[in-house]
């Protein structure tokens, strides 16, 4: 969950590998607090499962008072909020797929990796560390899986917000409140302007984070596809094809092909 390994494609032997821990990212004191919080979150998660089971049983009985179900619902919401706060730096404790589902991306000189605990790293192809940055821990129920994207000297990552980092420094350039999904965002060009198209159907201008469109489609686990000047997506077994507009402005019209 915290290691990047470079293998020789011909022999399979490790050329270099680097690992990092929570301590490397945050320092020993904060890392210890994160571990304590994570343990508490796991305990609260078990309590939440038990309440959910109790709720299901009560719903089977038509005579269960509505007030009792509402009280249970309030308790579960409070637990959910507390768990989210405790896992701010570690990610969802429900993540069944671990922290390394996202595929690394390479521009030929540097390799960027994204981990489900919110850590983004950049190494040169020779194995020299460029930077390590904590962005935000993913809170998706089954764990984070969206891969990073490189465009115009920027790294695009999607945990909870859509966040753009400077490729050279790892510094945050901008972030937009765009719904995260399990699929990965892609980059398209409208004229000479790069835009980010997300699985939730949002289009965001890469230069400044301006949201140009929302809810064009809604994908769960897959990514949209770009071919020539058309965006393709397959929500709920249907295929949506959208022509790229003439300009990268918020009032541009997105038309079905």
């Amino acid at each position: 969950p915290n290691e990047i390994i470079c293998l020789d494609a011909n022999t399979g032997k490790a050329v270099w590998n680097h690992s990092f821990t929570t301590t490397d990212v945050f320092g020993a004191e904060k890392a210890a607090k994160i571990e304590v919080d994570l343990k508490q979150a796991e305990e609260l998660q078990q309590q939440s499962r038990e309440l959910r089971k109790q709720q299901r049983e009560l719903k089977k009985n038509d005579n269960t008072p509505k007030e009792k179900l509402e009280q249970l619902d309030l308790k579960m919401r409070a637990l959910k909020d507390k768990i989210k706060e405790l896992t701010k730096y570690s990610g969802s404790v429900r993540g069944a797929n671990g922290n390394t589902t996202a595929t690394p991306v390479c521009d030929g000189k540097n390799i960027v990796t994204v981990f489900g605990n919110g850590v983004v790293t950049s190494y040169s192809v020779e194995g020299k560390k460029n930077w390590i940055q904590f962005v935000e821990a993913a809170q998706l129920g089954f764990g984070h899986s969206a891969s990073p994207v490189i465009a115009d000297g920027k790294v695009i990552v999607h945990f909870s917000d859509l966040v753009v980092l400077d490729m050279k420094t790892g510094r945050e350039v901008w972030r937009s409140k765009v719904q995260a999904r399990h699929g990965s965002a892609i980059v398209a060009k409208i004229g000479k302007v790069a835009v980010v198209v997300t699985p939730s159907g949002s289009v965001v201008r890469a230069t400044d984070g301006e949201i140009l469109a929302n809810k064009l489609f809604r994908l769960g686990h897959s990514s949209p596809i770009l071919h020539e000047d058309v965006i393709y997506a397959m929500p709920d077994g249907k295929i949506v094809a959208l022509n790229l507009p003439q300009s990268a402005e918020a009032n541009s019209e997105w038309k079905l092909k």
Side-chain angles (χ1 to χ4, degrees):
N2 57 5
E3 188 171 18
I4 177 172
I5 306 171
C6 174
L7 303 178
D8 185 296
N10 294 316
T11 67
K13 292 182 178 179
V15 179
W16 54 262
N17 69 290
H18 292 289
S19 62
F20 54 91
T21 64
T22 311
T23 301
D24 296 322
V25 181
F26 296 107
E29 185 176 348
K30 188 168 183 177
K33 177 66 165 57
I34 290 170
E35 288 300 315
V36 171
D37 287 349
L38 181 58
K39 185 175 180 180
Q40 184 181 352
E42 290 169 344
E43 294 170 353
L44 294 180
Q45 187 69 61
Q46 183 56 39
Q47 291 181 30
S48 180
R49 293 191 190 99
E50 291 170 359
L51 287 176
R52 195 175 297 112
K53 182 179 179 181
Q54 184 180 345
Q55 186 185 55
R56 286 196 298 267
E57 292 299 320
L58 288 173
K59 284 183 176 179
K60 292 178 182 178
N61 187 349
D62 294 336
N63 295 322
T64 300
K66 182 180 178 181
E67 293 78 10
K68 191 167 186 176
L69 291 173
E70 289 174 347
Q71 289 174 1
L72 269 178
D73 190 55
L74 287 173
K75 286 182 181 179
M76 290 168 63
R77 288 185 185 183
L79 282 174
K80 183 179 180 180
D81 290 342
K82 183 64 176 176
I83 290 167
K84 186 175 181 179
E85 178 61 30
L86 289 170
T87 57
K88 183 177 180 180
Y89 297 103
S90 59
S92 172
V93 296
R94 292 175 56 205
N97 60 342
N99 279 334
T100 55
T101 307
T103 303
V105 64
C106 180
D107 65 356
K109 295 180 180 179
N110 302 289
I111 302 152
V112 176
T113 56
V114 168
F115 296 85
N117 58 4
V119 174
V120 183
T121 72
S122 173
Y123 289 89
S124 71
V125 292
E126 293 81 18
K128 178 184 176 183
K129 184 180 76 174
N130 297 322
W131 46 264
I132 295 178
Q133 181 78 284
F134 174 80
V135 177
E136 60 182 338
Q139 297 291 339
L140 292 173
F142 295 100
H144 174 79
S145 59
S147 300
V149 181
I150 295 174
D152 293 348
K154 300 180 180 69
V155 178
I156 301 157
V157 296
H158 205 173
F159 292 101
S160 294
D161 296 336
L162 186 69
V163 179
V164 163
L165 308 174
D166 183 89
M167 183 69 183
K168 292 182 179 179
T169 65
R171 180 183 60 84
E172 184 174 314
V173 179
W174 56 257
R175 67 170 57 211
S176 289
K177 295 291 182 182
V178 175
Q179 185 183 27
R181 307 293 289 169
H182 292 288
S184 303
I186 64 170
V187 174
K189 283 285 185 76
I190 301 177
K192 296 183 179 180
V193 180
V195 296
V196 184
V197 185
T198 75
S200 61
S202 297
V203 181
V204 183
R205 196 161 52 209
T207 51
D208 56 9
E210 175 77 15
I211 298 175
L212 307 181
N214 263 321
K215 298 180 180 179
L216 296 175
F217 45 80
R218 180 181 170 85
L219 302 176
H221 302 85
S222 61
S223 301
I225 297 171
L226 172 68
H227 178 64
E228 296 179 347
D229 289 330
V230 182
I231 298 291
Y232 296 92
M234 195 172 75
D236 302 324
K238 299 178 293 186
I239 296 178
V240 176
L242 294 161
N243 289 302
L244 292 175
Q246 296 299 310
S247 64
E249 301 296 333
N251 59 356
S252 297
E253 186 177 0
W254 288 76
K255 295 182 179 179
L256 292 173
K257 182 175 174 61

